[in-house]
Amino acid sequence: MKEKQKKLLALFVIIVLVTTGLPVSVSGAQTAKAVTISVPTYPITVNGVKIDLGKSKYPFIVYNEITYFPMTYNACRVLGLETQWQGNAEGLVIEKTGITAAYLAYSSPTANKGSYKATVATFPIKVNGKVVDNSEQQYPFLFFRNITYFPLTWEFGATEFGWDYNFSPKEGLI
C-alpha cells in the first residue's frame, strides 16, 4: 500500500508543477527559457496587406526591441518560405522557395493583450541548410501559441530570405 501512496504523491506533485507553470525538468531535456514579449503598437503591412494585430491568433510580436514573424503555414507562403517539422531530432527546417501565395489571416475571437510569455525555442533549427545555434543568438527563435517565431533581423530578413523591408514611426513595419 505504501508503494501505491508514493506513486500517487509523485503524480500529484507533477500535476501541481505542470499546472502552476513551474519548469519541470525531464532527464536529458532542455528547459525552455521564458521571455516577455509584446504585441506591436505600430502598424505592420506585408506585401501590401495591413495586418490586424488586435484580433490575430498569431500576431507579430516584439522581443528585445525586434519584431518577430509568426511562422504559420500561410504566413510563410506569403513571404516565399517553406517550413517543415522533421521530428524532435531534426527539428524545424526553413527554406526560401520564392513561391508565394495570398495572405490568409488567422483570426481570433478575443483581442490580444499588450504582453505575454513566450519561450526560447530549444529544438534544432536550420535556415536555408545552415544550422542555427539558437542558444547563441542575441535575437533567438521563439515559441508562442505553439508556433515558431523568427526575428526580423537583417541576417534573416535580408541576407537569408532576400526581403526588402523598412520601418518608420509613422508607417510602421512594411
Side-chain angles (χ1 to χ4, degrees):
M1 186 68 171
K2 288 205 180 241
E3 189 65 32
K4 187 175 183 180
Q5 287 176 332
K6 287 179 185 178
K7 287 181 181 179
L8 284 173
L9 179 61
L11 179 63
F12 176 75
V13 169
I14 290 171
I15 290 170
V16 168
L17 288 174
V18 170
T19 58
T20 58
L22 295 174
V24 178
S25 180
V26 178
S27 180
Q30 283 183 301
T31 302
K33 176 185 171 191
V35 296
T36 300
I37 59 166
S38 61
V39 176
T41 56
Y42 47 84
I44 294 180
T45 305
V46 177
N47 292 348
V49 177
K50 193 165 211 136
I51 307 299
D52 179 6
L53 298 170
K55 292 274 187 152
S56 177
K57 185 175 181 180
Y58 307 108
F60 281 67
I61 60 174
V62 176
Y63 169 66
N64 204 12
E65 298 184 19
I66 290 289
T67 305
Y68 278 68
F69 180 83
M71 301 204 68
T72 63
Y73 177 86
N74 289 327
C76 286
R77 295 315 178 272
V78 169
L79 296 174
L81 301 179
E82 184 176 316
T83 58
Q84 195 174 54
W85 178 255
Q86 297 187 335
N88 292 337
E90 296 294 320
L92 182 65
V93 175
I94 306 161
E95 296 286 336
K96 176 185 172 185
T97 64
I99 300 169
T100 60
Y103 178 76
L104 296 173
Y106 293 92
S107 296
S108 172
T110 57
N112 285 310
K113 300 183 292 183
S115 65
Y116 294 94
K117 291 289 184 187
T119 57
V120 174
T122 58
F123 45 82
I125 299 169
K126 276 187 185 176
V127 175
N128 291 332
K130 300 174 198 137
V131 174
V132 175
D133 184 351
N134 209 36
S135 67
E136 297 294 319
Q137 298 294 314
Q138 180 179 1
Y139 305 104
F141 281 71
L142 299 177
F143 199 67
F144 175 61
R145 294 184 180 167
N146 291 321
I147 294 293
T148 304
Y149 279 74
F150 81 84
L152 286 172
T153 60
W154 191 258
E155 175 191 0
F156 293 114
T159 304
E160 290 296 334
F161 304 136
W163 297 340
D164 181 26
Y165 59 97
N166 60 61
F167 179 86
S168 75
K170 182 180 177 189
E171 302 288 325
L173 180 65
I174 298 174

